[in-house]
Amino acid sequence: PIPCVPWQSQTSGHRTLAGAYNHMGQKCVHEIVNPKAVRNRELYGWLSASTGDWFDGILSTLMRNMSRNEGGYTEKHLWKWIIMDGDIDPEWIESLNTVVDDNKVLTLVSNERIPLSESMRLIFEVAHLENATPATVSRAGILNINLSDVGTH
């Protein structure tokens, strides 16, 4: 399952877990992306209508580099996380359907298929699941931490 973590101190939560893995000698790297801060084409990539050239997006670049152990990511990184920091919106989550299902492959408009390797995880940090479709929720492992359990800073 893909973790979905709605908690107050989201960033503190995944940084703490990554720090624990690193402390135990299991190298962990993570990248944070706010999918609602960019357009879909900037997130996934796009084909130029005039030239037919492919331009990578933020997520396609991160996933390819992590999957292929390029761009600073290595096989020594036992955990590679892409944290989608922003509420789930059908507009951008739709293109992740093939990643969050059993295929675990990002299929781009260019027809490139980027597999989610064994070491890779997508983590969704959300405040709520109001706009998430049943298909998305059914594919996610959900961790909900009550504010009263973590306190305030």
Side-chain angles (χ1 to χ4, degrees), residues 20 54 107 113 124 128 148:
W54 173 254
T107 303
R113 296 169 50 87
F124 299 95
H128 58 78
S148 60

Side-chain angles (χ1 to χ4, degrees), residues 95-113:
S95 297
L96 287 178
N97 281 344
T98 58
V99 180
V100 298
D101 68 12
D102 290 340
N103 293 317
K104 296 183 181 173
V105 173
L106 176 64
T107 303
L108 301 172
V109 173
S110 65
N111 290 324
E112 179 183 3
R113 296 169 50 87

Side-chain angles (χ1 to χ4, degrees), residues 50-121:
S50 59
T51 65
D53 291 335
W54 173 254
F55 295 92
D56 268 321
I58 297 164
L59 189 58
S60 57
T61 300
L62 282 174
M63 282 192 64
R64 184 182 307 105
N65 286 345
M66 286 183 174
S67 183
R68 295 180 181 172
N69 292 316
E70 297 175 349
Y73 305 103
T74 71
E75 53 210 27
K76 291 182 181 180
H77 293 123
L78 298 180
W79 302 103
K80 300 171 192 166
W81 300 339
I82 298 174
I83 295 145
M84 304 300 279
D85 186 6
D87 290 331
I88 291 177
D89 182 322
E91 189 76 23
W92 64 263
I93 196 74
E94 178 83 19
S95 297
L96 287 178
N97 281 344
T98 58
V99 180
V100 298
D101 68 12
D102 290 340
N103 293 317
K104 296 183 181 173
V105 173
L106 176 64
T107 303
L108 301 172
V109 173
S110 65
N111 290 324
E112 179 183 3
R113 296 169 50 87
I114 303 171
L116 199 69
S117 70
E118 286 293 316
S119 62
M120 293 170 62
R121 300 290 184 273

Side-chain angles (χ1 to χ4, degrees), residues 129-150:
L129 294 171
E130 292 171 5
N131 297 319
T133 65
T136 301
V137 173
S138 69
R139 292 177 171 112
I142 298 175
L143 172 62
N144 182 36
I145 299 176
N146 294 315
L147 291 177
S148 60
D149 294 335
V150 294

Side-chain angles (χ1 to χ4, degrees), residues 1-27:
I2 310 288
C4 183
V5 188
W7 52 25
Q8 173 77 22
S9 302
Q10 298 166 344
T11 302
S12 298
H14 71 73
R15 285 192 179 146
T16 301
L17 185 57
Y21 275 130
N22 286 324
H23 182 74
M24 295 185 313
Q26 297 182 25
K27 288 190 141 210

